[in-house]
Amino acid sequence: MDILMPIGIAMTAGLLLSRFVKKIKLPAVTGYLIAGILIGPYCLGLLGEWLDINWLGFVSHESVKNNKILCDVALGFIAFAIGDEFRISSLKKIGKQATIIGIFQALVATIVVDAALIGLYLILPEGTITIPAALVLGAVATATAPAATLMVVRQYKAKGKLTDILLPVVAIDDAVGLIVFAVSFGIAQTMQGGGGLDIISVLVNPLVEVVLSLLLGFVMGILFSYAEKYFNSNSKRLTLSITFVIMSVALSMYERHIGAVHIKFSPLLVCMMLGTVFCNMCDFSDEIMGKTDKWTAPLFVLFFVLSGSELEFDVFANPMVIVVGVVYILTRAVGKIVGAGISAKATKCDPPIVKYLGVTLLPQAGVALGMSLIAAESLGEVGVMVRNITLFAVLIYELVGPLFTKIALTKAGDIVPRTVINIGEEDDD
């Protein structure tokens, strides 16, 4: 009961809040996140702790993390769905543009955040922020949350040139982010320890992670595509797709050290490649992806509610974290918007893409939190600072990011106002 009841309460709260935010024209994902906050350790969970009722919401962040496996699986399905955007037919049209934009805007965000935080280091009291912390936060700034973006696209049935390029850019963005973070993290560790640069940590390990992740996803995608041909029942094909995504997530959790080389995988990249290979090899992939999307809808609701419950408000206790956090949030937004705009214009994208793409890249959550957790576990006080600022930024970005994404897609014409939706067309909420 202590495990299942909080999950039931989480999904109920998510559904109720999605109806509420719809009335005020906010994306459903924002409602899910607010629901998570309300049933988390600071609201309903706190009441449950006082009353000694452990199943009344999530009484602690540890109780939220007990459901981490559900979040891992949800992220796997999100990445799998994004893989559908890498069909060869689409890549012939936007592949070059998406790649250039994905790399350039991520690097610009890192440079802008690094420059701003190093500037703070020079003007604020000693100990407020350090150079290693600034470098790591600059790397964290690259990451964009694919989950929130995908949910907004699906809820409002966004279609158009901006949507077509958005999801591939988000996927490429996270691959670039892994590399940039590994390099910045390696330099930060070296500065902390006072030693020389470790080339293996800075260059080899991130490349190994990306290459092995794509290779594992490629192999699983081929196996999945061939296996689907032996089943004719839609229910069995759906079951097989769910099986392969879960297996891919499980395999991507494998880690091992071979000498100084760290063998590990990125679940996002593995499942994204799984979806990409499947959608390009299987003739009936459209049908299977559509059925998988419907099956995963409740899982995504739970994922976002749990994400909201995981947000930590303790970071507001330190004024300096708020100061640095505000600078980080603003400069990351500037880097994303300016970087996306410049690269989109350079690759001759349509004006709406140049103007609005950067705004859709603001949401930040899972990947950034994972990066900050690595920093917190390895960099001592510097890591704790990185973790707290990232938590603060995620809280802000996840609450306002989906709304900005909706506005940008609407302005670009990819979201059709409800008043002109054809009668009888399904309206998800």
Side-chain angles (χ1 to χ4, degrees):
M1 182 175 182
D2 289 351
I3 296 176
L4 292 179
M5 186 59 77
I7 292 177
I9 292 174
M11 298 193 70
T12 302
L15 292 173
L16 291 175
L17 264 293
S18 72
R19 300 301 302 179
F20 171 75
V21 298
K22 183 181 179 183
K23 300 294 184 183
I24 55 178
K25 302 186 183 302
L26 290 175
V29 63
T30 303
Y32 301 148
L33 291 164
I34 295 173
I37 294 171
L38 294 177
I39 68 167
Y42 297 99
C43 294
L44 191 60
L46 183 61
L47 177 62
E49 187 177 20
W50 285 345
L51 298 177
D52 196 25
I53 304 177
N54 292 332
W55 52 264
L56 189 62
F58 296 103
V59 298
S60 67
H61 287 103
E62 286 69 27
S63 63
V64 179
K65 291 174 183 176
N66 288 338
N67 298 288
K68 183 178 181 299
I69 188 65
L70 296 175
C71 294
D72 291 339
V73 172
L75 278 173
F77 279 103
I78 288 166
F80 178 66
I82 290 177
D84 191 28
E85 303 299 320
F86 286 89
R87 292 179 183 270
I88 293 177
S89 57
S90 298
L91 291 178
K92 287 179 180 179
K93 300 177 182 177
I94 63 169
K96 181 178 179 180
Q97 292 173 321
T99 301
I100 293 173
I101 295 171
I103 295 173
F104 188 79
Q105 57 81 27
L107 295 178
V108 170
T110 296
I111 293 169
V112 172
V113 171
D114 277 344
L117 295 184
I118 291 173
L120 283 184
Y121 164 77
L122 297 174
I123 63 176
L124 290 180
E126 185 177 352
T128 302
I129 188 170
T130 63
I131 297 294
L135 293 176
V136 175
L137 283 168
V140 173
T142 60
T144 299
T149 303
L150 182 64
M151 286 292 284
V152 172
V153 168
R154 285 184 176 176
Q155 180 186 353
Y156 296 101
K157 299 181 176 67
K159 294 180 181 179
K161 293 183 177 180
L162 177 56
T163 303
D164 289 342
I165 201 169
L166 170 59
L167 294 178
V169 167
V170 169
I172 293 168
D173 174 277
D174 284 334
V176 175
L178 289 173
I179 297 174
V180 173
F181 176 77
V183 173
S184 298
F185 181 71
I187 295 173
Q189 277 187 311
T190 300
M191 294 179 70
Q192 284 281 93
L197 287 176
D198 182 356
I199 300 300
I200 292 181
S201 297
V202 173
L203 295 177
V204 176
N205 285 339
L207 290 176
V208 167
E209 180 176 352
V210 171
V211 171
L212 289 183
S213 297
L214 295 177
L215 180 61
L216 175 59
F218 181 78
V219 172
M220 293 297 289
I222 291 177
L223 293 175
F224 178 29
S225 300
Y226 279 111
E228 284 282 11
K229 297 178 181 179
Y230 291 96
F231 298 91
N232 297 318
S233 164
N234 285 333
S235 61
K236 286 185 172 61
R237 286 176 172 174
L238 173 61
T239 301
L240 190 63
S241 66
I242 294 169
T243 299
F244 265 85
V245 173
I246 293 175
M247 288 175 61
S248 297
V249 173
L251 289 172
S252 65
M253 293 179 178
Y254 175 83
E255 290 189 43
R256 184 177 179 182
H257 282 88
I258 300 179
V261 178
H262 188 188
I263 304 297
K264 61 180 296 190
F265 301 87
S266 165
L268 281 174
L269 292 182
V270 171
C271 293
M272 183 191 71
M273 180 58 79
L274 170 71
T276 299
V277 173
F278 172 66
C279 290
N280 282 288
M281 289 188 63
C282 183
D283 296 334
F284 47 84
S285 61
D286 280 339
E287 181 183 358
I288 299 300
M289 294 297 283
K291 292 182 180 298
T292 303
D293 289 345
K294 292 182 178 180
W295 183 87
T296 54
L299 183 62
F300 289 171
V301 172
L302 182 59
F303 168 77
F304 283 105
V305 176
L306 289 172
S307 297
S309 298
E310 194 176 13
L311 296 176
E312 299 185 24
F313 289 83
D314 294 342
V315 296
F316 292 112
N318 186 345
M320 284 299 100
V321 169
I322 298 176
V323 172
V324 177
V326 168
V327 172
Y328 169 85
I329 291 169
L330 294 177
T331 53
R332 176 181 177 270
V334 170
K336 288 285 182 180
I337 294 171
V338 172
I342 292 174
S343 53
K345 188 172 183 177
T347 53
K348 299 180 180 179
C349 292
D350 290 351
I353 296 176
V354 175
K355 188 173 182 180
Y356 297 113
L357 178 59
V359 177
T360 65
L361 299 175
L362 295 183
Q364 189 174 45
V367 176
L369 290 174
M371 292 176 177
S372 69
L373 181 59
I374 293 173
E377 292 174 346
S378 306
L379 296 177
E381 292 184 4
V382 168
V384 173
M385 168 66 78
V386 170
R387 177 70 172 172
N388 287 339
I389 292 171
T390 304
L391 287 169
F392 173 50
V394 166
L395 173 64
I396 303 301
Y397 277 129
E398 283 298 272
L399 291 177
V400 304
L403 174 61
F404 287 160
T405 299
K406 175 198 171 185
I407 293 172
L409 289 172
T410 302
K411 293 284 188 181
D414 286 31
I415 293 179
V416 180
R418 181 167 180 160
T419 54
V420 297
I421 290 179
N422 293 331
I423 296 175
E425 184 176 338
E426 182 183 359
D427 180 28
D428 293 340
D429 53 23

